[in-house]
Amino acid sequence: NLQKGLDEFGFNDKISFVQDISKSSYGTMDSDASIANSGYGQDQMLVNPIHMAMIYSSFANGGNMVMPVIERKEKNNLSGNIVNSSNSNTNNATKYYKENVISKEIANEIKQDLIKVVEEGTGKAAKVDGKTIAGKTGTAEIKDNQQDEEGTEIGWFDAFDEDGLVVVSMCENVKDRGGSHYLLPKVKTIFE
């Protein structure tokens, strides 16, 4: 069931994007320990940050995963000339990668839980007065085995606000720098 649910969210799919991105994958899940560890992002779980943004967009959009775009806007260069621009989404209509991947009710329940993470949980350092932010911290250990003390950590903090701005942040080598909490003040600045 876990593998089926991950597949519904696009794991192991090649996502068509303006640039080549790696597939998110979960490995074999061939033991109880592997399944349990995959449930919180360890074991063989690999998630592309762009795909993670798409997943989080479903919590902000009533169960619909938004297809991201890269947008470049025109601006004057230092000499005052207009710089050519392009926009990979030629119209402003939101395009979905997957619709109704979860129900509106489930999306809202997850959203409320993620708001609690920022309001009173591990994401409190990203709280912005007068703004509702929903998010989740996560620290992935990268090591050869349980006894490996030389391994490193990858910190994640993924969040969105009431306006639908989704921010996915990931930083390598956060061991001894606070893990995922290293990212909280950086993401807070974006929402401010």
Side-chain angles (χ1 to χ4, degrees), residues 86-104:
S86 66
N87 180 346
S88 62
N89 185 14
T90 55
N91 64 35
N92 291 331
T94 300
K95 292 187 175 45
Y96 295 112
Y97 171 65
K98 292 191 177 213
E99 294 185 59
N100 303 311
V101 70
I102 53 177
S103 70
K104 288 180 182 179

Side-chain angles (χ1 to χ4, degrees), residues 60-74:
N61 290 289
N64 300 314
M65 292 175 69
V66 173
M67 189 66 203
V69 296
I70 294 178
E71 183 175 340
R72 189 176 80 197
K73 296 183 180 181
E74 279 189 9

Side-chain angles (χ1 to χ4, degrees), residues 122-123 125 137-140 152-157 171-186:
T122 58
T137 59
T139 304
T152 188
E153 295 178 349
I154 296 174
W156 288 83
F157 182 60
C171 184
E172 296 179 334
N173 303 318
V174 294
K175 186 176 180 180
D176 301 323
R177 296 196 299 169
S180 60
H181 294 257
Y182 173 77
L183 296 161
L184 297 173
K186 297 170 186 340

Side-chain angles (χ1 to χ4, degrees), residues 31 48 52 127 165 189:
S31 69
N48 182 293
M52 183 67 83
K127 185 174 169 40
L165 172 63
T189 300

